[in-house]
Amino acid sequence: MKFVIRDDDLNYFSAPEDIDRWYSDIFAQSIPVGFSTIPFVKPTSDVYTAGAKAEEREYSIVNNEKLISYVQNNPLIEILQHGTTHETKGGIYEYQNKDLSRGEARRGREELERAFGIPVPVFVPPHDWISTAGVRAVEAADMNVIRGRGAGLRNFLPRLAYVSVFIRMLLFKLTHILRGKVPAYTKVLDFGKHKEVCSYRLEDTDVFQGLEYAYKKNGIFVVATHVHFYTEEKKERLLRLIHRARELNADFVYPSDLFDSD
């Protein structure tokens, strides 16, 4: 079983201290963490912005030199792309927008790679929602996706790989819905021009059952959380997951490893 930690919403307004507070003991165990990072955050983005009431413009991660230096000096951190601005407009999440520009994901990826000087091959949709236009943008940026449990059933492109995944996921859902809550799928899904992996949120009531299910299937377990919205209770929950994963002899890997080893 492969175990991955995905932490969302790192951005220009974040600080190294935010990471250290909640992850120093996890790094001490040599466990990597993937930080889903917003390339161009705005004060109106629906994420942590340190209470900023600054000029309404894009604040690029490139300009947070302290955070960039911290990440570059921590080999256990992997940077993922988390949307482009993480804005919600009219109740529509950024990558849920059906009119999203084809070049938006590439614009964000290029900015992250310019900032950190490393490849950023994995994309995480804001709020785990992505439209078909969003999928096309991610594919144009040559990225793979980590999302919630909706992979395979919420989007469709006229492609044989999509038909195959749709049928597989529909059967998977029908099989499990009769037994209760449907778990996250534990294997990599190949859509032809990109691949996807499903994840749990740390707060999910069935997250521990999901870990046991992934172990049973010798598959993938991804847990998503948010560095800026941690509590002691949430941290204790993550540590219990890690402890149980160690008992199950899980491999703690970087998010991109899920696709490289597929």
Side-chain angles (χ1 to χ4, degrees), residues 5 18 23 41 43 72 79 82 104 129 157 196 200 202 212 214 231 233 244 250 260:
I5 299 173
D18 300 327
Y23 285 104
V41 74
Q72 290 176 330
I79 294 297
H82 195 37
E104 273 298 278
W129 279 90
L157 288 169
E196 296 189 12
Y200 291 88
L202 182 60
E212 300 293 336
T231 62
E233 181 181 3
R244 179 56 180 157
D260 292 341

Side-chain angles (χ1 to χ4, degrees), residues 178-205:
L178 298 175
R179 305 173 185 172
K181 196 166 186 177
V182 180
Y185 195 67
T186 65
K187 304 294 182 181
V188 175
L189 294 166
D190 190 341
F191 291 87
K193 294 185 179 180
H194 80 280
K195 297 177 181 179
E196 296 189 12
V197 167
C198 300
S199 61
Y200 291 88
R201 290 183 176 266
L202 182 60
E203 300 83 3
D204 286 348
T205 57

Side-chain angles (χ1 to χ4, degrees), residues 2 19 41 60 68 99 103 111 129 142 162 188 198 203 252:
K2 293 181 173 63
I19 299 175
V41 74
S60 171
I68 290 170
D99 298 317
E111 192 73 351
W129 279 90
D142 193 26
Y162 259 87
V188 175
C198 300
E203 300 83 3
F252 294 89

Side-chain angles (χ1 to χ4, degrees), residues 72-87:
Q72 290 176 330
N73 284 284
N74 189 332
L76 289 169
I77 291 178
E78 179 172 44
I79 294 297
L80 320 176
Q81 182 177 339
H82 195 37
T84 305
T85 64
H86 207 299
E87 288 187 282

Side-chain angles (χ1 to χ4, degrees), residues 29-87:
Q29 300 178 56
S30 297
I31 296 175
V33 179
F35 284 92
S36 306
T37 305
I38 305 163
F40 304 99
V41 74
K42 295 183 177 182
T44 53
S45 298
D46 55 337
V47 293
Y48 169 84
T49 55
K53 296 180 180 179
E55 177 185 352
E56 176 53 24
R57 63 177 176 84
E58 292 181 345
Y59 289 79
S60 171
I61 195 73
V62 166
N63 297 315
N64 189 332
E65 296 179 0
K66 187 177 179 182
L67 180 64
I68 290 170
S69 177
Y70 175 86
V71 169
Q72 290 176 330
N73 284 284
N74 189 332
L76 289 169
I77 291 178
E78 179 172 44
I79 294 297
L80 320 176
Q81 182 177 339
H82 195 37
T84 305
T85 64
H86 207 299
E87 288 187 282

Side-chain angles (χ1 to χ4, degrees), residues 82-202:
H82 195 37
T84 305
T85 64
H86 207 299
E87 288 187 282
T88 297
K89 296 180 179 180
I92 304 297
Y93 300 135
E94 182 186 15
Y95 272 73
Q96 188 185 13
N97 182 359
K98 296 178 181 178
D99 298 317
L100 186 76
S101 168
R102 184 76 64 95
E104 273 298 278
R106 182 172 295 281
R107 180 171 82 96
R109 177 175 183 173
E110 289 176 350
E111 192 73 351
L112 290 176
E113 293 182 343
R114 182 165 78 94
F116 296 100
I118 53 175
V120 181
V122 179
F123 185 90
V124 176
H127 303 287
D128 284 326
W129 279 90
I130 188 167
S131 66
T132 300
V135 170
R136 291 187 186 278
V138 170
E139 289 186 343
D142 193 26
M143 305 181 84
N144 293 311
V145 177
I146 295 178
R147 64 191 297 183
R149 306 191 196 194
L153 294 175
R154 290 179 179 168
N155 309 110
F156 189 80
L157 288 169
R159 189 183 303 161
L160 185 59
Y162 259 87
V163 175
S164 175
V165 171
F166 181 86
I167 293 172
R168 188 190 324 168
M169 293 303 292
L170 181 61
L171 292 174
F172 175 78
K173 185 172 183 178
L174 290 174
T175 298
H176 286 277
I177 202 166
L178 298 175
R179 305 173 185 172
K181 196 166 186 177
V182 180
Y185 195 67
T186 65
K187 304 294 182 181
V188 175
L189 294 166
D190 190 341
F191 291 87
K193 294 185 179 180
H194 80 280
K195 297 177 181 179
E196 296 189 12
V197 167
C198 300
S199 61
Y200 291 88
R201 290 183 176 266
L202 182 60

